[in-house]
Amino acid sequence: MPRVRVYVLVVLLAASGVAILELVREQTGTPGFLVGLALALLPVPPLMAAFRWLGRAAPHPWAQLLFCFGWGACAAALIAILANSFATEWIAAATADPSHADRLGSVAIAPLVEETAKAAALLLVFLFRRRQFTGPADGFVVAGFTAVGFAFTENILYLGNAFDEDATNGTEVLNSVTAATFFVRIVMSPFAHPLFTVLTGLGFGAAALSVRRARRIVLPLLGLAPAIGLHALWNSSSDLGESGFYVVYGCVMVPVFGILVWLAVWLRRRRLRTVAAELAVYAAAGWLGRAEVPALASVPARSLARQLARGVGGRPAARAVALYEADAVALALLRRRARSGGPVGEPDFALRERELLSRLWLRRATAGPALCRAAALEELLPPSFDALGPADPFEAADAFGAADRFGTVDRFEAADRFATDDRFAAADRFGPAGAGRPVLAGVPAPRERGPYGLRRSGPVPSATPAGPP
């Protein structure tokens, strides 16, 4: 059934993409369409890279991000252009005033239709990919990719129409409508649509953290409302006099953009601190090497670990490390949600934790040494750190606390959780194994000492561990 759902979505997106591109080409003409397409592509890579940078703290599958981009560029754009055209024609027929209909459609109809159409992608991810939607940072990323796709198609339409007008009037390039449109939409405000939709994404992200069902319904609506309002204000800026655009741009858009940039950086740092604090518990229980924790809490160290694995074992080894990193981050965020909301927030916590720990164990022999070396090369470990020493919760907290480049983490926090959190501590959930080590059914218990220390200099071993006798 999930596979059928994916095929249906792909077909719908492809059909809507063909339809919207043909509509845009009819309105702009083929030359205008090609020029608009080339110019509209320019801001897409940097915007996608910016949102991808935020999402690298807890990586999203590329298929999910491309779906969001495709929804914005195809489905949401098609819904918007059809609904806006219908509403404008209806208002014009009812009032017999086409200019009034255009203004009302731009200020009242378009923001509501467009932001709701973009929010549909967030709703689909929220409902059907809940495991990848764990907080405001995920809402930020998903909303950003959706809005970038929508702005891409809209820019083709605006730039294509401007080029067609210039071609008809024979306007020079510097004084052309195309140049003015490019400056306003591509140079000055490429962040406009992402800025609006991110507010909706933050609402969905807050809903993902909420335990109460009523809040999970209300919070996305509370995020959608300011997105529509800000979009309407931006569209009405040209009707506020000659300086209206610059007033709205300088007094509203730029400050809100600055606040959201600060929030994005803060969310990224907070997520990395969460990864460090939660994984320290599993390191103390023996499921992770203690030197792996600071590496997993550092995006540059993760990247370096994949490069190291690729250099020794090729693409399969790099892929194993990437999957190990993703599972470790998912485990940390799962535990944080479970501790925050309890069994109500994560009813399948035990099953999901067991699944993630099993997958981590299968790849630990390959990923562990690469992450330990990356932690050493990135200078994330204190000079006195002994990777082969005993697994103690206080030392596990120290392993990342002293080297945390993103802020101070309480070194006693991990040890405190490890000792007192009977419901969610890995060592207590599965029962003792030797010196307090957890045991999973069918999964080998972690070894007291293994090939995870910084002193290892040989090649990365196979991803399949030998296991216990």
Side-chain angles (χ1 to χ4, degrees):
M1 185 64 182
R3 189 178 295 274
V4 174
R5 189 187 302 144
V6 170
Y7 290 152
V8 171
L9 283 176
V10 170
V11 171
L12 289 177
L13 285 181
S16 60
V18 172
I20 187 62
L21 291 178
E22 179 60 23
L23 283 175
V24 172
R25 192 195 63 80
E26 288 180 359
Q27 294 191 25
T28 62
T30 302
F33 173 79
L34 295 176
V35 171
L37 177 63
L39 296 178
L41 276 172
L42 295 178
V44 171
L47 288 173
M48 292 179 69
F51 286 106
R52 182 63 175 168
W53 172 86
L54 172 61
R56 287 181 68 192
H60 287 252
W62 267 110
Q64 183 184 107
L65 299 179
L66 292 177
F67 161 76
C68 293
F69 180 87
W71 180 275
C74 301
L78 181 62
I79 293 170
I81 194 171
L82 294 178
N84 290 340
S85 299
F86 174 80
T88 302
E89 292 175 1
W90 182 83
I91 295 172
T95 61
D97 186 355
S99 62
H100 175 70
D102 288 338
R103 288 196 299 271
L104 184 60
S106 174
V107 175
I109 305 300
L112 175 62
V113 171
E114 293 176 8
E115 294 307 320
T116 304
K118 288 183 286 184
L122 281 69
L123 178 61
L124 290 174
V125 176
F126 184 80
L127 293 178
F128 298 107
R129 289 294 183 268
R130 188 64 178 274
R131 288 181 176 179
Q132 284 93 36
F133 211 124
T134 59
D138 299 305
F140 215 111
V141 175
V142 172
F145 271 80
T146 305
V148 170
F150 185 90
F152 167 67
T153 302
E154 189 179 70
N155 285 337
I156 297 175
L157 178 63
Y158 277 87
L159 291 166
N161 283 331
F163 180 83
D164 184 60
E165 181 180 346
D166 291 331
T168 302
N169 299 330
T171 310
E172 295 181 0
V173 175
L174 295 179
N175 297 323
S176 64
V177 179
T178 305
T181 304
F182 179 85
F183 180 75
V184 171
R185 299 190 65 86
I186 306 300
V187 177
M188 290 188 65
S189 57
F191 57 85
H193 273 289
L195 185 149
F196 307 144
T197 314
V198 157
L199 299 177
T200 307
L202 292 175
F204 275 99
L209 297 177
S210 179
V211 177
R212 297 182 180 178
R213 182 171 183 175
R215 291 183 180 178
R216 292 199 297 269
I217 298 174
V218 172
L219 288 173
L221 298 177
L222 292 179
L224 180 62
I228 295 173
L230 191 60
H231 195 160
L233 177 63
W234 174 247
N235 285 0
S236 66
S237 61
S238 58
D239 299 328
L240 301 178
E242 295 182 357
S243 60
F245 170 81
Y246 299 101
V247 171
V248 172
Y249 183 83
C251 298
V252 179
M253 297 293 287
V254 172
V256 173
F257 175 74
I259 292 172
L260 289 179
V261 169
W262 171 84
L263 181 61
V265 175
W266 181 79
L267 287 173
R268 188 176 190 264
R269 292 178 175 178
R270 181 187 179 189
R271 176 155 284 190
L272 291 172
R273 286 197 295 267
T274 297
V275 170
E278 299 297 341
L279 290 185
V281 179
Y282 294 99
W287 285 104
L288 301 173
R290 292 179 303 119
E292 297 173 34
V293 175
L296 290 168
S298 168
V299 174
R302 291 187 211 165
S303 178
L304 178 58
R306 294 193 297 272
Q307 293 177 20
L308 291 172
R310 181 187 291 271
V312 175
R315 293 184 63 182
R319 175 68 174 166
V321 174
L323 292 173
Y324 185 89
E325 293 169 350
D327 288 339
V329 172
L331 179 64
L333 297 179
L334 174 73
R335 189 172 190 276
R336 171 55 62 92
R337 292 196 308 275
R339 290 195 309 102
S340 301
V344 176
E346 287 294 336
D348 60 341
F349 170 80
L351 180 63
R352 178 65 175 156
E353 183 188 46
R354 184 183 296 267
E355 175 188 345
L356 290 171
L357 285 173
S358 300
R359 291 181 353 206
L360 286 174
W361 174 256
L362 292 177
R363 300 186 179 98
R364 185 182 176 186
T366 296
L371 286 165
C372 291
R373 293 174 194 163
L377 293 174
E378 288 288 321
E379 299 181 350
L380 299 177
L381 304 175
S384 59
F385 179 76
D386 181 11
L388 296 178
D392 181 79
F394 289 97
E395 293 182 12
D398 253 348
F400 66 85
D404 179 29
R405 66 178 62 190
F406 298 107
T408 303
V409 178
D410 184 3
R411 69 184 293 270
F412 297 99
E413 183 180 3
D416 218 23
R417 295 175 193 161
F418 179 77
T420 62
D421 196 346
D422 290 337
R423 288 182 302 167
F424 303 118
D428 295 334
R429 173 173 297 280
F430 301 109
R437 295 293 186 269
V439 173
L440 292 179
V443 179
R447 288 171 283 187
E448 290 292 337
R449 295 174 183 268
Y452 310 114
L454 301 180
R455 300 185 180 93
R456 181 183 180 89
S457 58
V460 177
S462 169
T464 304

